[in-house]
Amino acid sequence: MVYINAYVRQHFSPLDVLSDWAVQAKYRLPRAEIQRLITLVSPHIQRATRCNFALSPEVQLLAALRFYAVGSFLEVVGGDGTGLSKASVSQSVAAVTPILLRHARTHIKMPTTRDEVRQVHQGFHAVAGIPRVIGVVDGILIPIHNPSLVDPCWIGRKHYAAINTQVVVDQNGLITDIVAKWPGGTHDSFRWANSAVGQKAGRGEFGRSILLGDSGYPLRSYLVTPVTNPATPQEERFNEAHTRTRTKVERVFGIWKSRYRCIHRSLGGLRLSPLKCCRMIVVTAMLHNIAVRIGADEPPPVDNEEEHSEDEAPNPALCDVQAVLHQASAQTRQELINLF
């Protein structure tokens, strides 16, 4: 019986027996895209061993994809018919994740060419009429469960341990930038100031393009936030347009968490070290982008629970001081307000 199970682990592939619909439902990607990923990772995870029944790269990749999708080692063990043990699934996830991570920059990147930027501008303008938007930035708390984390900095405003992850999305629901490394208690403005995309924007590398962020972010000429206390009909209309455009990122968060349940709070959080959690968050973002680009079916929503890393409402007096200190920022926003 031991040899039969070992043979199954080596030679059986769910891809050979599952329908196209079942493959996508189980692994969140179509069969052809999974085959491409197998080709991508195979040279790096083919174990150098004399064991006749070492896990094949395909089995390891499928185990990892299934874990990302359901977030439970036990469900992978019991639901795939491959005879894998919990330890084998864990080892597969540990082997596959860093290999996939190497390719994240290929799939997660800001628009750079003139044509790419133009398409993003047009796509966002069609939402609510705000011009020159190159992306919407927001934060999300990815829950983690690790009893060794005793430092309160990991606890966010939602009162659970998390990775405070910053994401920029485009008009099509692609994640174009991601920073997954800060503890849950990190302030949005600090996370933004220390991100590569924030520093590039500050150096003017995005030209006249702007990003939209909520009130937790600082108002800048390249990062436009809503008016804290709108006093005119124009400001109210601008805020409404700002909110409608920002729903793009909220929609991405919902699809991303539903597609890859391992990052959803309903399962209690990722039970890995913080470093491994951060790697997995980026990898699932990369896989989300692959799914979006090829038009993969969206999974049914899990729930509407808010997990955004929202900050305290800013002090209106502080906002006024910032407006004085950053006159160019206030001027940029006023130019946009005048359009409404």
Side-chain angles (χ1 to χ4, degrees):
M1 180 62 68
V2 172
Y3 290 105
I4 292 176
N5 288 339
Y7 181 87
V8 168
R9 289 197 300 267
Q10 171 65 17
H11 297 281
F12 171 76
S13 171
L15 297 182
D16 295 334
V17 297
L18 294 175
S19 67
D20 291 341
W21 178 88
V23 167
Q24 185 163 315
K26 207 173 190 67
Y27 303 109
R28 304 301 195 251
L29 292 172
R31 191 187 312 272
E33 199 59 42
I34 294 175
Q35 294 289 0
R36 293 189 187 96
L37 291 178
I38 292 171
T39 302
L40 192 69
V41 304
S42 289
H44 307 286
I45 60 174
Q46 182 71 61
R47 296 180 178 174
T49 175
R50 295 181 180 180
C51 176
N52 291 329
F53 303 115
L55 296 180
S56 68
E58 178 177 335
V59 169
Q60 293 180 68
L61 175 68
L62 292 177
L65 292 178
R66 184 59 179 160
F67 175 76
Y68 302 151
V70 299
S72 168
F73 288 115
L74 293 179
E75 188 163 341
V76 180
V77 170
D80 278 8
T82 55
L84 296 180
S85 65
K86 181 179 177 181
S88 295
V89 175
S90 177
Q91 291 167 4
S92 296
V93 172
V96 170
T97 301
I99 303 303
L100 292 177
L101 184 64
R102 298 177 189 176
H103 302 275
R105 290 188 178 184
T106 302
H107 299 276
I108 303 174
K109 54 185 179 181
M110 294 289 290
T112 54
T113 68
R114 181 177 299 181
D115 186 58
E116 289 173 343
V117 172
R118 178 183 56 80
Q119 290 183 24
V120 176
H121 284 179
Q122 291 177 346
F124 275 121
H125 185 268
V127 175
I130 301 180
R132 299 186 285 113
V133 178
I134 199 172
V136 179
V137 60
D138 202 353
I140 182 173
L141 296 174
I142 305 296
I144 58 177
H145 180 83
N146 192 328
S148 66
L149 296 178
V150 295
D151 193 328
C153 73
W154 292 100
I155 309 299
R157 290 185 61 240
K158 302 296 184 179
H159 306 297
Y160 57 84
I163 304 293
N164 196 335
T165 303
Q166 177 178 281
V167 170
V168 177
V169 306
D170 73 3
Q171 81 285 7
N172 294 320
L174 291 171
I175 296 172
T176 54
D177 189 80
I178 184 169
V179 180
K181 65 179 182 180
W182 297 108
T186 306
H187 195 282
D188 282 357
S189 58
F190 176 87
R191 190 187 57 217
W192 167 260
N194 288 275
S195 67
V197 68
Q199 293 167 1
K200 288 180 180 179
R203 293 193 297 266
E205 294 188 20
F206 300 134
R208 297 187 68 246
S209 296
I210 61 172
L211 293 107
L212 300 185
D214 63 24
S215 57
Y217 291 87
L219 174 63
R220 297 290 185 266
S221 59
Y222 47 82
L223 176 59
V224 178
T225 60
V227 179
T228 306
N229 294 305
T232 67
Q234 274 188 321
E235 290 180 344
E236 292 178 352
R237 289 194 293 270
F238 169 76
N239 276 6
E240 291 173 1
H242 195 284
T243 299
R244 286 173 55 194
T245 307
R246 286 208 328 271
T247 58
K248 287 288 185 180
V249 72
E250 296 170 2
R251 174 172 167 76
V252 168
F253 286 163
I255 295 173
W256 181 24
K257 291 184 298 180
S258 297
R259 180 171 274 137
Y260 296 107
R261 292 282 303 278
C262 66
I263 62 172
H264 197 278
R265 190 185 176 192
S266 62
L267 295 178
L270 289 168
R271 299 174 182 269
L272 303 167
S273 69
L275 177 60
K276 291 180 178 179
C277 289
C278 293
R279 290 172 175 171
M280 190 170 295
I281 291 167
V282 176
V283 166
T284 59
M286 180 192 82
L287 295 172
H288 163 83
N289 279 2
I290 292 174
V292 171
R293 285 194 173 99
I294 63 177
D297 294 338
E298 294 180 6
V302 178
D303 59 38
N304 295 319
E305 182 179 5
E306 292 291 336
E307 295 177 8
H308 294 191
S309 58
E310 298 173 349
D311 288 302
E312 297 287 347
N315 187 328
L318 179 60
C319 292
D320 293 339
V321 171
Q322 287 183 336
V324 173
L325 293 176
H326 303 283
Q327 292 184 1
S329 309
Q331 182 178 353
T332 297
R333 185 168 68 182
Q334 188 59 50
E335 291 173 354
L336 296 174
I337 291 172
N338 291 340
L339 298 174
F340 293 86

